[in-house]
């Protein structure tokens, strides 16, 4: 069974940092491209970041470039999103997904507020 389980969300003040984790199981994580996608309150899905199957190429939405970093620990089958300099507009439910978007996690809530 394919499972993607996000964690690490929470409440943080503007300018603060969080690291999201996504633990994957049920497929070959080492050969899969992965995405982070978010959904802000009242808005649609927004792609945030991708990492290639080789884990050597990354890409970011303009809104987060320079502040967020996507990475993996292949030994732990875990995808990460390091989020720095957080802004209120980063408030959203964050989901990890396989690169073909066939599988999604349950999401983790990130709230940026003073």
């Amino acid at each position: 069974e394919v499972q993607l389980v996000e964690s690490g969300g929470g409440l943080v003040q503007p300018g603060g940092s969080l690291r999201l984790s996504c633990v994957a199981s049920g497929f070959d994580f080492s050969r899969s491209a992965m995405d982070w996608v978010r959904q802000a309150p009242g808005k649609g899905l927004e792609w945030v970041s991708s990492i290639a199957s080789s884990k050597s190429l990354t890409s970011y939405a303009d809104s987060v470039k320079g502040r967020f970093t996507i990475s993996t620990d292949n030994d732990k089958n875990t995808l990460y999103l390091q989020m720095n300099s957080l802004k209120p507009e980063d408030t959203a439910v964050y989901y990890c997904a396989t690169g073909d978007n066939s599988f999604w996690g349950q999401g983790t809530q990130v709230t940026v507020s003073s």
Side-chain angles (χ1 to χ4, degrees), residues 51-101:
I51 188 164
S53 59
S54 67
K55 311 302 188 291
S56 62
L57 296 174
T58 59
S59 59
Y60 301 90
D62 288 343
S63 58
V64 307
K65 192 172 185 178
R67 300 187 297 119
F68 291 11
T69 303
I70 190 170
S71 64
T72 61
D73 184 334
N74 289 335
D75 290 339
K76 297 180 179 179
N77 287 347
T78 301
L79 175 74
Y80 299 102
L81 186 67
Q82 178 66 48
M83 305 186 296
N84 298 327
S85 302
L86 283 162
K87 304 175 181 179
E89 51 263 45
D90 295 318
T91 295
V93 177
Y94 284 72
Y95 301 92
C96 66
T98 55
D100 63 1
N101 296 157

Side-chain angles (χ1 to χ4, degrees), residues 13-54:
Q13 294 184 344
S17 298
L18 285 173
R19 188 180 73 165
L20 306 184
S21 299
C22 172
V23 179
S25 61
F27 67 100
D28 191 347
F29 179 80
S30 68
R31 298 176 62 190
S32 179
M34 299 293 294
D35 292 336
W36 285 101
V37 181
R38 67 187 182 186
Q39 186 168 32
K43 296 186 177 181
L45 294 170
E46 178 189 19
W47 170 78
V48 175
S49 183
S50 296
I51 188 164
S53 59
S54 67

